[in-house]
Amino acid sequence: MPDLKGVILDVDGTLVDSNEAHVQAWVKAFKRGGYDVPAERIRPLIGMGSDNLLPTLIHVEKDTPEGEKLSEYWKEIFESEYLPNLKAFPKTKELLERLKADGFKLAVASSAEKEMLKRLLEIAGADKLIEDETSADDAENSKPDPDIVQAALDKLNLNPKEVVMLGDTPYDIEAAGKTSVKVIALRCGGWNDGGLKGAIAIYDDPADLLAHLDNSPLGAKTKNKC
């Protein structure tokens, strides 16, 4: 790996244990809108933004009246029933503090809207550690399209070869790959190693990565300082 200078962070399923909450909120939102979509169909698509999830599941575009109504249902349900109870994965804040101490610039690439992203970063203990935040408001299309990752990369003002992304879904890997950014994947979002194919390294969760950081692709920076 070349000398790494920046880390792009996914949030849902990577820093915060929220993927299943997204699934259940969508189940309820679809039901309220008159659609019977089981969790088993939704779960493999978590990590996409609603602009990709809705047409994939029910052939409705997000920017139509029907799509906007369903997205509002989801937001209302998620924020009222699930967001207040979400927790960060163990050692998330400690991992980010270590990365900062090692000299990495940190940016977020999330499909969440700006206000929700702010709350998720507070849950992760990351709100004071992030240099730049890229949300759904900063990109035309969500993952697996590359827009959000590219926006984060632009904010870091670094070459793609100088950056690694932390993510938890195939959509993170696909989106980052389209910008030539490599991905370190975490299993805590619910995907097995087969689903995370293409990542340069895979760890269980932030705590596992932190415990093995010196021998990870991010460890070279620390070793070069010695």
Side-chain angles (χ1 to χ4, degrees):
M1 293 289 293
D3 184 27
L4 295 173
K5 299 178 181 178
V7 180
I8 295 174
L9 304 159
D10 175 60
V11 178
D12 286 297
T14 300
L15 306 182
V16 178
D17 188 2
S18 55
N19 282 3
E20 189 60 27
H22 284 292
V23 172
Q24 298 305 322
W26 274 117
V27 169
K28 292 180 180 181
F30 283 128
K31 188 164 291 187
R32 186 184 294 182
Y35 296 89
D36 183 15
V37 185
E40 292 72 25
R41 287 189 61 208
I42 300 169
R43 194 169 288 115
L45 302 182
I46 295 301
M48 293 183 176
S50 55
D51 59 319
N52 286 311
L53 182 144
L54 287 171
T56 300
L57 285 173
I58 59 170
H59 307 293
V60 170
E61 298 296 329
K62 182 183 178 181
D63 59 0
T64 63
E66 182 72 3
E68 290 176 355
K69 179 180 71 175
L70 289 166
S71 295
E72 281 303 312
Y73 288 163
W74 170 83
K75 182 179 179 182
E76 177 189 331
I77 293 165
F78 184 80
E79 289 186 340
S80 63
E81 296 186 28
Y82 296 100
L83 187 59
N85 301 312
L86 295 181
K87 297 185 183 302
F89 289 109
K91 300 293 183 179
T92 291
K93 185 177 182 182
E94 290 86 345
L95 172 63
L96 300 182
E97 289 174 335
R98 169 68 186 278
L99 293 175
K100 287 285 286 187
D102 285 350
F104 288 101
K105 296 174 67 176
L106 305 181
V108 164
S110 171
S111 297
E113 295 180 0
K114 188 163 291 186
E115 281 306 308
M116 188 178 295
L117 177 58
K118 180 180 177 182
R119 295 178 67 181
L120 290 168
L121 290 176
E122 290 171 354
I123 291 168
D127 48 315
K128 301 292 194 302
L129 300 170
I130 302 300
E131 309 246 353
D132 292 293
E133 303 166 12
T134 303
S135 67
D137 303 328
D138 300 305
E140 184 173 346
N141 300 307
S142 70
K143 303 168 193 172
D145 293 304
D147 304 27
I148 290 173
V149 178
Q150 185 61 55
L153 189 60
D154 292 343
K155 288 185 177 181
L156 285 174
N157 195 29
L158 293 172
N159 185 290
K161 293 181 179 180
E162 299 175 314
V163 177
V164 164
M165 181 173 179
L166 297 188
D168 68 294
T169 73
Y171 313 116
D172 294 317
I173 296 169
E174 183 177 348
K178 292 172 182 174
T179 68
S180 298
V181 169
K182 303 296 185 183
V183 174
I184 295 174
L186 304 181
R187 302 181 183 98
C188 49
W191 289 87
N192 61 27
D193 291 12
L196 300 173
K197 184 178 179 180
I200 58 171
I202 304 175
Y203 298 89
D204 288 338
D205 53 23
D208 187 29
L209 175 56
L210 177 61
H212 298 94
L213 194 65
D214 288 341
N215 294 316
S216 77
L218 293 165
K221 191 177 185 73
T222 302
K223 293 173 184 175
N224 289 340
K225 289 167 65 179
C226 297

